[in-house]
Amino acid sequence: MLYQRLFAASLLLACLCLGVIAWGFHAPFSYEPVGPRAYPLMLLILLGLGALVLLIKPALESSPSDEPALTKPMLIKVAICLALLLALASLFESLGFVPSAILFALGMARLFGGRWLPSVVLAVVLGTSLYFLFDRILDVPLPLGVLAGLEI
Amino acid sequence: MDTLQYLGQGFDVALSPNNLVTALAGTTIGTIVGLLPGLGPINGVALLIPVAFALGLPPETALILLASVYLGCEYGGRISSILLNIPGEASAVMTTLDGYPLARQGKAGVALSISAWSSFIGGMIATVGVIVFAPLLAKWAVSFGPAEYFMLMVFAIVCLAGMAGDKPVKTAVAVLIGLMLSCVGIDANSGVYRFTFGSLGLSDGIQFVVLVLGLFSISEILMLLERTHHGQTALKTSGRMLFNLKEGSSVLATNLRCGVLGFIFGVLPGAGATLASAVSYMSEKKLAGDSGRFGDGDLRGLAAPETANSASACGSMIPMLTLGIPGSGTTAVMLGALTLYNITPGPLLFQNQPEIVWGLIASLFVANIILIVMNIPMIKLFTRILSVPNWTLVPAIAIITSIGVYAVHATTFDLFLMIAIGIFGYLLRKLDFPLSALLLGFILGDMMESNLRRALSISNGDLGILFSSPIAIGLWALVAAMIALPFWRRYRAKRSAKLANA
C-alpha cells in the first residue's frame, strides 16, 4: 500500500514537472490551430487525475498480489543483474561485442545458479556464436572493439 | 465473389516455398518460446523483429513470420500449463485449472492432444471470421475521417480500461504513460523538441524496438530472477497420446461456442486473449451446471479456454489490418513492425497491397494446419525443452535483446535507454500495472495526436467536428458506455454482497 502511494505521488510530481516543461512548447510559426503544446498537456492533466485517484484511494485497486515480496537478498540480486546489464551497455563498443558478451553471459549464468565450468563454456559459446550469427550471417554490424586487430 | 479470388491470391503467396518455410520456422520458434515459462507472444514477436529485418525479408514474409510465431506461442503456452501447472503467459492461466488435474490423473497425452485440437478449431473458426468480416470492415472504414479515427482510438483505449475488470484506473494510467512516451522527440508538425531534455538520442523519439524489448524482455529477466529459486519438475506424458472419438465429440459443442466467443473478444480492441479465455471458461462452467467436474479435470474446462485463446489471437488481426488499431499487445508489436517497413495498416491496405493482407490471412490457415500436424507427434520433444534451465536461457535472451536494440541505431545510448525502460517496467509490474496497456498507448499515441490535429485543422479549431458525423456520435456513445461499465460492475457487486448479507 505504501509503495502504491509512493508511486502515485511521484507520478503526480512528474506530471507537474512535465507540465511546466510542456507549457513552454511554442511553435515559432504555425499553420494549424493546434500547436505542439495542447495534446501533451491534455494527457498530463488526465494522467495527473489518475495518479490523484491512486494516491487518495490506493485500496481501490490493489488486490493482494501474488508476486513474492521483495526481500533483501532478492534486491541484491536485482541490483547485480542491473549492474551486469549496465556493464554490458557501457563496454559494448569500447571492449567490443565478443569479450563483453562473454563476461556478461558468465555473470548472468552464475547469477541464475549455473555452476562455474558449464557457465564458462556457455558464455564462450554464446559470445562467439551470436557474433558470427548476427555479424556474419545476418549482416547486423557488431563492434569488434579490442579484437579489431585480429581481423577475424 | 471477389473475396474468394483474393483469398486464392493469398494462398499463392502463403504457399510459395519461401513463405511456407517461414511459416514452419515461425510456428516452431513460437511453440518453443510459448512453452518457456515467462516468455509470451510479445517477447517472441519482439525478439524476432530485428532478425526479420536482418534477414532482409520482404514485408509479407516478415508478417507471416510474426503471425505464425504469435499463433505458435498460443499453442505452446498450454504445454507448460498442463505439465507444470505454470502458465507460460497470462492467457494460459485458465488452461491450468483443468489441464493440470488431467495430467495428474495420467491423462497428460489426452489433455495435450485435445487442447491442440481445440486450438485448431478455434483458430479455424476465427480465420473464417477474418475472411468474412475483414473486407466488409475495410470497405466501411474507408469513409472514416480523422475525427472518426481519433474517436475510434479513444474508444479502443477506454475499452481497454473498461474491460480490465478489477483495475480500470491502473490500466488507464498505464495507457496514458504510453501515450506520453510517444510524445517524446521532435514534433512532426511544428519541429518543436518535446521532452528530449537536450539529449540527442531522444530527439528521434523513443524507438519502438527499444521500448518493447526494455518493457518486456528486461523486466522479464528481472522477474525470472525472483522465480528461479523454486524448481518444479514436469509431469510425464505417458499412456494414450491421442484423444478418442467419444472425448472429441463431447467437447465439440464447447469448441464451437467458445470459438465464436473468442473471435468476438479478439476483434474488440483491447480485450484480447486473456479476457476471452477467462470469460469462455466461466460461461462453459455455468452452462455445464452440476454435470461438470470443472476444476478437477473436465475436458470441457480444458477445451473452452484453449479454443477461445487461439480464436481471439486470429480475431485480433481484424482491427489491426482494417483499422490500423491493434486489439492486443502482440498485434501492437506487429503493427509496430509494419510501420518499420513503412506500411501503414488501415482500410487502404486492402486496396493498395492486397498481397500482404490476403497472404497473411491465408497463412493463418496454413499456420494452424502446420501447428496441429506438428504438435501431436512432436509433443515429446517439446516437453523435453521444458527442462532447459534458466541459467542457460537468460543470458542468451539478454544478449539477443541487446543486439536487437543496438541494431536499430548502432548507438549504446539505446542500450541504456532500454535498461531504464526495463527498470520502469519492472516497477510497474511489481505495482500491478498492465504493461501491454502501456505498449498499446505508445503505438496509438502518434496516430491519435496526428488525427486529432488534422481533424481540428479541417474544422479550423472548432471542437464540434468531433461530434459532427453519425459514426463519431455513435463512438461517443460507446465510449460513455465503456466508462460506465466499471461503475456499474461495482454497483452490482455491492448489491449482491448486500443481498448475501441480508
Side-chain angles (χ1 to χ4, degrees):
Chain A
M1 202 67 74
L2 175 67
Y3 292 114
Q4 300 276 1
R5 274 222 160 96
L6 215 58
F7 179 77
S10 40
L11 192 62
L12 195 60
L13 196 68
C15 280
L16 288 176
C17 297
L18 289 175
V20 172
I21 296 173
W23 193 254
F25 293 154
H26 181 70
F29 38 80
S30 159
Y31 309 98
E32 46 164 18
V34 187
R37 187 169 71 180
Y39 179 73
L41 276 180
M42 182 184 83
L43 291 181
L44 282 171
I45 290 170
L46 287 174
L47 194 55
L49 285 179
L52 208 58
V53 171
L54 290 179
L55 184 65
I56 296 169
K57 285 185 96 175
L60 202 62
E61 292 192 0
S62 51
S63 49
S65 152
D66 46 354
E67 297 296 343
L70 267 184
T71 51
K72 205 173 172 203
M74 207 66 237
L75 268 178
I76 294 172
K77 273 190 162 183
V78 168
I80 296 174
C81 183
L82 288 175
L84 281 170
L85 281 165
L86 285 172
L88 177 70
S90 38
L91 295 178
F92 205 83
E93 270 176 344
S94 56
L95 199 59
F97 173 76
V98 179
S100 54
I102 289 177
L103 290 177
F104 171 77
L106 180 62
M108 285 298 260
R110 290 286 301 153
L111 187 65
F112 276 83
R115 278 176 292 121
W116 269 111
L117 188 66
S119 299
V120 171
V121 174
L122 174 83
V124 173
V125 169
L126 272 183
T128 46
S129 65
L130 286 177
Y131 176 78
F132 278 99
L133 177 66
F134 278 91
D135 191 280
R136 296 298 148 91
I137 301 174
L138 295 176
D139 274 332
V140 177
L142 293 172
L144 261 179
V146 288
L147 295 182
L150 290 176
E151 290 282 334
I152 355 170
Chain B
M1 284 313 282
D2 277 354
T3 310
L4 280 184
Q5 187 195 335
Y6 279 127
L7 190 62
Q9 276 181 18
F11 272 108
D12 281 347
V13 176
L15 291 177
S16 74
N18 271 342
N19 291 342
L20 212 55
V21 171
T22 310
L24 190 64
T27 45
T28 315
I29 297 173
T31 312
I32 293 171
V33 171
L35 71 84
L36 293 172
L39 293 183
I42 296 185
N43 307 73
V45 173
L47 275 174
L48 276 182
I49 290 177
V51 177
F53 255 126
L55 282 170
L57 295 179
E60 67 271 12
T61 311
L63 205 57
I64 288 173
L65 176 70
L66 299 183
S68 53
V69 169
Y70 184 14
L71 293 188
C73 282
E74 300 289 351
Y75 261 74
R78 76 209 155 79
I79 299 178
S80 57
S81 322
I82 291 173
L83 296 180
L84 279 178
N85 204 15
I86 297 175
E89 32 142 356
S91 60
V93 173
M94 287 294 161
T95 311
T96 58
L97 297 182
D98 277 288
Y100 189 64
L102 273 172
R104 271 209 311 221
Q105 292 159 22
K107 291 191 202 153
V110 176
L112 284 169
S113 61
I114 208 146
S115 62
W117 172 246
S118 301
S119 290
F120 175 73
I121 296 189
M124 279 313 198
I125 291 176
T127 312
V128 172
V130 172
I131 291 169
V132 175
F133 289 109
L136 287 179
L137 196 59
K139 225 172 262 170
W140 185 56
V142 176
S143 61
F144 277 32
E148 284 82 10
Y149 259 112
F150 174 70
M151 283 313 300
L152 196 66
M153 288 178 220
V154 173
F155 171 65
I157 285 170
V158 176
C159 205
L160 192 71
M163 294 280 207
D166 54 338
K167 39 188 180 184
V169 181
K170 279 189 175 168
T171 313
V173 166
V175 175
L176 285 168
I177 293 175
L179 290 172
M180 272 313 290
L181 288 177
S182 75
C183 286
V184 175
I186 297 180
D187 172 36
N189 293 29
S190 62
V192 173
Y193 286 76
R194 294 195 294 194
F195 306 118
T196 57
F197 306 103
S199 150
L200 237 125
L202 280 177
S203 62
D204 200 11
I206 295 174
Q207 290 302 306
F208 164 74
V209 175
V210 179
L211 183 94
V212 181
L213 290 179
L215 218 47
F216 289 91
S217 222
I218 300 296
S219 79
E220 189 63 54
I221 288 169
L222 294 174
M223 291 305 254
L224 279 175
L225 194 55
E226 297 179 13
R227 304 217 179 103
T228 202
H229 286 299
H230 41 82
Q232 218 168 344
T233 44
L235 292 174
K236 286 275 181 316
T237 53
S238 55
R240 197 152 50 94
M241 284 311 285
L242 213 60
F243 59 91
N244 57 28
L245 208 60
K246 192 167 146 254
E247 286 160 340
S249 57
S250 74
V251 296
L252 191 64
T254 303
N255 284 149
L256 296 178
R257 273 196 300 266
C258 296
V260 175
L261 195 70
F263 172 70
I264 295 172
F265 271 101
V267 175
L268 276 183
T274 312
L275 198 63
S277 61
V279 170
S280 62
Y281 184 84
M282 291 307 170
S283 64
E284 280 302 312
K285 192 174 173 184
K286 226 175 253 169
L287 265 179
D290 293 332
S291 73
R293 293 181 14 257
F294 280 71
D296 37 50
D298 195 309
L299 280 177
R300 280 170 295 177
L302 177 64
E306 275 305 314
T307 318
N309 202 338
S310 56
S312 83
C314 291
S316 64
M317 302 282 165
I318 288 194
M320 182 193 81
L321 287 174
T322 58
L323 302 168
I325 293 176
S328 63
T330 317
T331 41
V333 180
M334 289 174 66
L335 194 74
L338 274 181
T339 32
L340 289 179
Y341 273 102
N342 252 339
I343 298 170
T344 322
L348 291 177
L349 194 65
F350 276 77
Q351 291 166 18
N352 300 340
Q353 283 160 310
E355 75 280 1
I356 291 183
V357 178
W358 290 100
L360 175 68
I361 293 175
S363 74
L364 291 180
F365 262 117
V366 176
N368 265 315
I369 293 171
I370 292 178
L371 279 167
I372 184 110
V373 171
M374 185 170 73
N375 259 276
I376 290 179
M378 282 171 66
I379 236 24
K380 287 238 155 82
L381 191 73
F382 284 136
T383 48
R384 207 162 296 153
I385 295 172
L386 278 179
S387 51
V388 172
N390 274 345
W391 65 265
T392 54
L393 198 65
V394 174
I397 295 173
I399 294 175
I400 295 175
T401 302
S402 307
I403 295 175
V405 165
Y406 182 79
V408 179
H409 274 162
T411 57
T412 44
F413 174 83
D414 283 342
L415 287 176
F416 288 109
L417 185 61
M418 170 192 77
I419 296 169
I421 291 173
I423 298 171
F424 184 60
Y426 175 69
L427 286 179
L428 286 181
R429 265 171 100 158
K430 277 272 156 206
L431 295 168
D432 219 16
F433 283 83
L435 286 190
S436 58
L438 198 162
L439 180 67
L440 224 57
F442 182 77
I443 297 280
L444 289 179
D446 266 347
M447 286 190 280
M448 203 164 155
E449 180 176 15
S450 63
N451 275 307
L452 176 64
R453 285 164 81 167
R454 212 173 294 150
L456 291 177
S457 293
I458 293 172
S459 70
N460 219 344
D462 180 10
L463 280 170
I465 193 169
L466 296 179
F467 304 92
S468 60
S469 78
I471 297 176
I473 293 173
L475 284 167
W476 273 108
L478 286 174
V479 167
M482 272 299 159
I483 293 179
L485 187 66
F487 291 102
W488 183 70
R489 215 182 260 155
R490 180 152 298 163
Y491 166 74
R492 213 178 49 167
K494 250 188 205 152
R495 208 181 50 177
S496 64
K498 237 181 229 158
L499 282 180
N501 283 338

